[in-house]
Amino acid sequence: MDKAFTKKKRLSSFFRGAKVRLFLQFIYELLELLHFTSIIIHNIPYICGMELIRNFCVIAHIDHGKSTLSDRLLEYTKTIAERDMKHQALDDMDLERERGITIKSHAIQMYYNHENGNRYTYNMIDTPGHVDFSYEVSRSIAACEGALLLVDASQGIQAQTISNLFMAIDHDLEIIPVLNKVDMDSAMIDEVSDQIIDLIGCKREDIILSSGKTGIGIKELLDAVEARIPHPKGKVDAPLQALIFDSVFNSFRGVIVYFRIFNGIIKKGDKVRFFHTQKDYQADEVGVLQMTLQDKPELRAGDVGYLITGIKVSKEIKVGDTVVLTKFPDTPEIKGFEEVKPMVFAGIYPIDNDDFEDLRDSLEKLQLNDASLTFEPESSVALGFGFRCGFLGMLHLDIIQERLSREFDQEVITTVPNVMYHSYMAGKPNDLVIINTPNDLPEPNVLDRVEEPYIHAQVITKPEYIGAIMSLCLDKRGFLTKQTYLTTSRVELSFEMPLAEIVFDFYDRLKSISRGYASFDYHPLDYRRSELVRLDIKLNGDNVDALSALVHRSKAEELGRKICSKLKDLLPRQQFVIAIQAAVGAKIIARETVKAMRKDVLAKCYGGDISRKRKLLEKQKEGKKRMRQVGSVEIPQKAFMSVLKLDDK
């Protein structure tokens, strides 16, 4: 017992002594060191700097294999498991897979283990190729340091290839030329390589030969991204500056913002401010864009990721806006982002006026992940309340209609599309009046002049189709400005023509007359004086404002006859005569008549006196007159749609 007591006493005195204090201090310092070491290990990618990050996009003409090549990159880097792999993996809309085109830009993060032992983070954005969605491309380019320029080895350089290339060069992006589809029998590797060298001025060995279908050249492409595309440049210790390049709406989490951080750090729980609205929010969640959203405690300069703040109102998000920290309100916004410029305008109306607010909500949600869509309320005598919407082209209009139907169950009526015109009043030649709808056109007695937008159109085709293409462009009031032979088998034609002339059917007719061997691209030029008139469609003397259109005086009669003829086939017969008229001002330039349905009132008058039959017919005639005076014509939905396809044979 004494021994145990003595041992306990010695141990107690030891813990009170100087030795134990030194021992405990050593343990504490060791734990501090381990904690600091764990922080260093956790932040290795950032401490190594942004040298391990590459941000790039994939740009090309439509159908040159961007999405397929992106699939192979995801497959090679094991971003997607083999069992989950499918064609056009990044395209999340059924509409994209059905049509085989990319409508929305898609960002994704990949990890690539390089031969030098480093693990690189690749942030890739797959972009659309159609000319109508060039705005999506500009947004993607603004968030990158480099671009993969894909060229189809069997088709060569197309119009949109050149357009996207110049857009990337304007943003000082590093261009990596990629010759795709080299496995095809029709591939012209040497010829197309020469075209790329002439266009970019690169060396032949700089061109990467690849195939999105078979996987040829995928490793070489990933190595080239690491070697040629510069890493992001930014300051981690500077105030936060992040560019919003896209956004989507989630019914459970609200608006999800996609952004690229140029400077600073954003952490979960930070108070952030959107520069455009000057509203403050809390960063509920931040993370990176993989096949699914992966949350992270923080994101730093050079990263591409997402931000969730619980925003439910889509108007509070503007693509191209800058995100800053609330505690640094004087942080400047990021410049150089291209604003959307709608090319085509059309009215969208619900079939039932009670669905007006539902249509507004649907358009707001669509606008959120399609920043190129613009809309404002308007009303029509024939259709009630609806919206005046701005689109980038007819394909964009078609896509929006389809998405409204599929995603929001909104069946709508679309009016005749037109472009934006400028008008000047008599006596006030410098006062500009914007004309978005035919009803906005002032009366001729108070109008000084009207100007319409012109575009610079670029067509690349084979020499044998030059004559047919020139005839088409001249028919559309265009004129040739330049003709350049790129090679012996490819020629570039440059035209200046009114934008209104390419709205309806120009692209389809171009493809038809060239058997698919012509590519088309355009960009706006300026506004020029023009002889425009308002074409009104009348049904039994009443104007149908939804079918009115602004056209050039020389085209008014032709278009009026086509619309009248189309409506004659589509309007259901009534018990009274329907007069379909096309008018310019007070002058009727075209007319068609839908005959009345006639009941056989003489069915029971077999035999008998002729005067009895005449009496019955005269009585029917009087009844028809009264019906015509009070009768109203119902216009079916397909009648409005048919006006968009007047040239369909």
Side-chain angles (χ1 to χ4, degrees), residues 357-406:
E357 288 300 328
D358 292 339
L359 180 59
R360 183 199 296 272
D361 292 341
S362 303
L363 286 170
E364 284 178 353
K365 289 171 183 175
L366 269 182
Q367 190 182 44
L368 195 61
N369 59 357
D370 187 354
S372 48
L373 171 66
T374 61
F375 66 93
E376 58 184 23
E378 73 166 6
S379 61
S380 162
V381 176
L383 301 175
F385 293 100
F387 296 93
R388 190 72 183 168
C389 302
F391 309 94
L392 298 177
M394 289 299 289
L395 177 63
H396 190 206
L397 169 82
D398 189 26
I399 293 295
I400 292 295
Q401 279 183 285
E402 191 75 20
R403 290 186 69 186
L404 281 171
S405 175
R406 291 190 182 204

Side-chain angles (χ1 to χ4, degrees), residues 68-86:
T68 309
L69 190 74
S70 300
D71 291 348
R72 298 292 79 75
L73 292 172
L74 295 174
E75 200 173 43
Y76 190 90
T77 56
K78 295 180 172 59
T79 306
I80 302 179
E82 193 171 336
R83 64 181 181 183
D84 298 328
M85 195 64 205
K86 56 185 176 183

